[in-house]
């Protein structure tokens, strides 16, 4: 049953579903998906998501609920205000049942950098759920909530969606306000929905997509408010739709079964009438290094505010410099510190041109290359991740291997375009996602395409055996 | 032998001035001065996690006006950058400023040639940024108190070319800049509220081919908050650099602080100089795109700059350079002057009265010209009475005191209190004969040839008429009557 049916059936009435979801999460969370749970009030009457329980990643500011970014630095921090996305969800009648685990400050691809311990994949507790929105992905996959919010800076919604067998979308940059979402890399951070189906993601977008005067980078979306209607009304006849398959996403480093599943998805679209063609985006290989330079540079500045002065952790010292050193050395984990160092270096005098500026130029080249592709193709289809979910601990000591998990998702963040991951099949008992990308503001079209796919396939209907009781039967 | 006389001072200034907006640069908090600590704050200016800046367009407008008033070229596209450094009163760990693409470039401020301190001082750039909070160190408790009310207040930074050649000229520049910024409404420049702070970049440059270094290394004296400190710190640096050159010492390029009490500058810790601010474009803010037509529109509504007004007052109204400078230095008084003249008063008389009587009453009462009932129409009428010799200068001053307090028109006061000059000879004759009758001794003295006695009698007449009699006429009538022995 999808969210809309559940609302119509009255199953979510009077917040009972939310109350029972919250209650069962606080009792049993075998994956470690949640960092905190709330005691839901009765839902406000009406609203498009009236009574729907949802979870939010723990980097979204929530007044009265801790917001830790899974960091020791913010272990005891509770914001004084709600993020815009939280306010919008509340005004739609959705009920926040808890905050989900994540990689510390959203830096990571496995949820293992969380100060509070990793989240486990509901399909197999020995493998990671992906990251950094791994808690949100696991909560949806395990059936604890029908909807969760994540953030995606380099793949942090799509990669865990792929690993956990759900649908996750990073909308067009600027479509959803970042106000109140704790910044990692401002020029790429984007809030997005994670749910079982593309239709449910569209319902959430109808609530979340709005120009916010409180976020100078937010934009007016030409399709704002009409996503679900468009998805429901979309035709299963894909004649005239042109889908490109960039060969750079199918090459070395991509596991064979993953490639195979993406190719099978392409055949599904072809059978529905779409034209599928192989294309080339030769600059793709530069996306990963450009991303790590830019995102780390922005992060080094965004995380400077955690200084032990006004809020968060403080470790005193002999003088102010000592206080900074102690607080930041002990408050941040290894991966966060690695990126702050990397980013500070990329911005420092004498290296700025060779690193930050060059990366910014590469970013522009990649964005232009992708824009050009969209003059001939409506959408691009690629694997979401090179592999299925990997075993816990496997890549913790190997940052480069960890970074490779985002190689297919990063270009969309550099270009600011919408992209989603939807379940495309299984390999070795673990889900494998397929990624769809579209031009800026094609969010509705992307979701429609995914919905059409989900009408003719059943990968998204398979659930892990140890899923706990939630809204889903 | 190195001759210090062969060197001249080279001074460049970096001026931070608080813009006259009601709300902060990137949030809606009030910029009011003097509120209790940490009451004008919100998640944005406190740099709380997840908060985002939104540019205050009013501050951008004032920046554009400041730039245009200085003749700077406003760029059609500029952007904000982050200046990264840690300090407790900087809650985000960076200051939003402008660096590689400032709001405006170029321009100049012309100083009138007074005491050899005139000249054209070039402007390198004008950019926008946000202020930091305030740290108060409490030595006894060993603690630091932080007030974030100032944090995020919009500032314009104005950077000059190193065209200033003396400490006195540095001060003159700041005075002229303050007058300009006030007139165009960019800033109130209230020094006591820290609305203008200045960094001085000082060095010596050799003017001839003689011995010694071509130039000394630059000293950057930071954060001076009064014009006097700027002048004194520059004088101190001048002395220090000259002494170093004379001794053959080599100075280092360094940051220095000013000790107001001891009257000296001292070297900052070397660590403070080693800053690498790691500027980069702020990804939270879109570029500032300013249509040239929009900048023209803003500049079009700009009041006349002080220097242009001084020139006009001298040319158009024939005022002395001094009177023009005094009036223009006080824009409300300058407006008062122009309006008084537009009511038909003589410009010179109006200038003399405004810089004299009017200013004196304002000073004594502490009121602003806009707050008192006296208007240019009042003054014009008073000057008209004076010019027509209907009242004496002495009476005019008395009448003005009444006008200043009550706002009654001068003619009404003059009539009500019968203050008009007595210039009717018949009326005066009666008064004079009465005075002669009351002072027979003085009359006798005059008759016996003591000419001085006439002064005493004139004084008596003036006293009896409360200054209304025309003294020349009284003099003539007295002599006439005493001679004729009537
Ligand atoms: Zn504020």
């Amino acid at each position: 049953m999808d969210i809309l049916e559940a609302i119509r059936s009255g199953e979510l009435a009077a917040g009972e579903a939310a109350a029972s979801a919250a209650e069962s999460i606080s009792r049993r969370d075998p994956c470690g998906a949640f960092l905190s749970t709330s005691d839901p009030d009765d839902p406000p009457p009406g609203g498009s998501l009236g009574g729907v329980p949802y979870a939010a990643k723990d980097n979204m500011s929530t007044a009265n609920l801790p917001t830790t970014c899974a960091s020791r630095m913010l272990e005891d921090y509770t914001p004084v205000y709600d993020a815009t996305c939280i306010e919008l969800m509340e005004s739609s009648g959705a009920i926040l049942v808890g905050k989900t685990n994540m990689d510390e400050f959203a830096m990571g691809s496995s949820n293992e950098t969380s100060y509070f311990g990793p989240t486990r994949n509901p399909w197999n507790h020995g493998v990671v759920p992906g990251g950094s929105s791994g808690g949100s992905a696991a909560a949806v996959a395990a059936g604890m909530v029908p909807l969760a919010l994540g953030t995606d800076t380099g793949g942090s919604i799509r990669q865990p969606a792929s690993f956990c067998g759900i649908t996750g979308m990073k909308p067009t940059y600027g479509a959803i306000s970042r106000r109140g979402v704790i910044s990692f890399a401002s020029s790429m951070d984007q809030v997005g929905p994670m749910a079982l189906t593309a239709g449910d993601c569209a319902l959430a977008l109808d609530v979340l997509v709005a120009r916010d005067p409180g976020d100078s980078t937010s934009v007016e979306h030409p399709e704002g408010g009409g996503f679900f209607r468009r998805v429901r009304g979309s035709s299963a006849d894909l004649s005239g739709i042109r889908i490109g398959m960039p060969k750079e996403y199918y090459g070395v480093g991509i596991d064979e079964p993953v490639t195979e599943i993406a190719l099978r998805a392409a055949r599904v679209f072809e059978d529905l009438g779409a034209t599928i063609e192989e294309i080339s985006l030769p600059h793709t290989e530069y996306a990963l290094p450009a991303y790590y330079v830019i995102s780390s540079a922005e992060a080094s500045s965004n995380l400077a505010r955690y200084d032990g002065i006004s809020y968060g952790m403080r470790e005193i010292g002999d003088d102010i410099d000592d206080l900074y050193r102690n607080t930041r050395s002990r408050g941040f984990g290894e991966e966060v510190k690695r990126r702050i160092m990397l980013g500070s270096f990329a911005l420092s005098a004498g290296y700025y041109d060779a690193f930050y500026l060059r990366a910014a130029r590469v970013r522009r080249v990649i964005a232009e290359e992708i824009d050009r592709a969209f003059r001939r193709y409506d959408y691009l289809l690629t694997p979401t991740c090179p592999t299925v979910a990997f075993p816990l601990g496997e890549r913790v000591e190997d940052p480069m291997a960890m970074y490779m998990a985002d190689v297919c998702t990063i270009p969309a963040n550099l270009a600011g375009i919408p992209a989603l991951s939807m379940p495309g099949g299984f390999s070795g008992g673990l889900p494998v996602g397929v990624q769809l990308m579209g031009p800026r503001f094609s969010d509705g079209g992307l979701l429609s395409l995914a919905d059409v796919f989900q009408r003719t396939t059943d990968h998204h209907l398979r659930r892990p055996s140890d899923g706990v009781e939630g809204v889903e039967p | 032998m190195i001759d210090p006389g062969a060197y001249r001072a080279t001074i460049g200034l970096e001026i931070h001035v608080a813009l006259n907006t009601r709300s902060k640069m990137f949030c809606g908090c009030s910029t009011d001065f003097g509120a209790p600590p940490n009451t004008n704050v919100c998640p944005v200016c406190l740099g709380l996690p997840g908060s985002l800046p939104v540019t205050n367009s009013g501050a951008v407008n004032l920046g554009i006006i400041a730039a245009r008033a200085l003749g700077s070229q406003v760029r059609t596209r500029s952007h904000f950058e982050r200046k990264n450094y840690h300090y407790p009163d900087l809650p985000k760990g960076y200051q939003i400023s402008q660096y590689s693409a400032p709001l405006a470039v170029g321009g100049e401020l012309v100083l009138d040639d007074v005491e050899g301190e005139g000249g054209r001082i070039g402007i390198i750039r004008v950019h926008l940024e946000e202020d930091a909070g305030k740290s108060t160190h409490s030595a006894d408790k060993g603690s630091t108190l932080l007030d974030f009310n100032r944090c995020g207040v919009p500032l314009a930074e104005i950077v000059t070319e190193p065209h200033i050649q003396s400490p006195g000229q540095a001060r003159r520049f700041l005075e002229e800049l303050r007058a300009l910024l006030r007139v165009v409404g960019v800033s109130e420049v209230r020094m006591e509220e820290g609305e203008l702070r200045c960094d001085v970049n000082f060095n010596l440059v050799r003017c001839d081919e003689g011995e010694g270094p071509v130039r000394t290394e630059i000293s950057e004296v930071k954060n001076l908050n009064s014009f006097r400190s700027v002048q004194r710190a520059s004088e101190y640096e001048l002395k220090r650099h000259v002494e170093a050159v004379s001794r053959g010492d080599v100075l280092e390029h360094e940051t220095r602080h000013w000790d107001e009490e001891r009257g000296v500058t001292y070297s900052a810790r070397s660590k403070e100089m080693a800053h690498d601010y790691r500027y980069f474009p702020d990804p939270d803010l879109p570029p500032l795109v300013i249509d040239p037509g929009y900048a023209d529109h803003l500049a079009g509504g700009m009041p006349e700059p002080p220097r242009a007004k001084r020139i006009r007052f001298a040319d158009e109204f024939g005022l002395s350079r001094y009177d023009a400078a005094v009036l223009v230095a006080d824009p409300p008084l300058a407006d008062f002057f122009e309006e008084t003249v537009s009511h038909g008063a003589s410009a010179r008389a109006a200038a003399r009265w405004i810089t004299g009587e009017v200013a004196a009453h304002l000073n004594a009462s502490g009121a602003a010209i806009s707050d008192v009932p006296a208007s240019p129409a009042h003054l014009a009428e008073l000057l008209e009475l004076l010019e027509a010799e209907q009242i004496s200068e002495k009476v005019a001053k008395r009448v003005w005191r009444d006008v200043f307090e009550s706002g009654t028109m001068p003619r009404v006061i003059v009539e009500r209190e019968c203050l008009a000059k007595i210039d009717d000879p018949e009326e005066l004759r009666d008064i004079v004969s009465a005075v002669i009758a009351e002072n027979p001794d003085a009359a006798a003295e005059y008759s016996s040839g003591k000419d001085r006695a006439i002064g005493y009698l004139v004084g008596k007449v003036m006293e009896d008429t409360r200054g209304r009699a025309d003294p020349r006429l009284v003099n003539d009538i007295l002599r006439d009557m005493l001679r004729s022995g009537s």
Side-chain angles (χ1 to χ4, degrees), chain A residues 81 178 180 216 301-302 321 349, chain B residues 49-51 53 82 84 271 276 284:
Chain A
Y81 71 112
R178 294 186 296 116
S216 312
S301 176
N302 282 332
D321 291 326
Chain B
S51 65
R82 293 185 182 177
N84 295 285
K271 203 161 65 169
D276 174 359
D284 287 331

Side-chain angles (χ1 to χ4, degrees), chain B residues 24 26-30 40-46 151:
Chain B
K24 292 186 178 180
F26 297 110
C27 65
C29 291
S30 165
N40 290 338
V41 293
C42 73
V44 176
C45 55
L46 287 176
C151 199

Side-chain angles (χ1 to χ4, degrees), chain A residues 61 77 81 178-182 186 213 215-217 298 301-302 304-306 309 311 320-321 324 344 347-349 352, chain B residues 43 47-54 82 84 86-88 91-94 146 271 276 278-281 283-286:
Chain A
S61 296
Y77 171 70
Y81 71 112
R178 294 186 296 116
R179 183 184 148 276
V181 177
I182 298 183
S186 314
D215 173 1
S216 312
T217 61
E298 292 182 15
S301 176
N302 282 332
R305 69 190 64 200
Y306 308 108
I309 301 294
Y311 55 84
I320 185 67
D321 291 326
Y324 289 149
S344 301
L347 291 175
S348 59
Y352 181 87
Chain B
L48 293 182
S51 65
L52 294 175
V54 177
R82 293 185 182 177
N84 295 285
H86 282 292
Y87 202 73
K92 296 191 296 292
Y94 58 84
L146 297 170
K271 203 161 65 169
D276 174 359
R278 305 191 310 277
Y279 282 101
F280 77 107
D284 287 331
L285 291 163

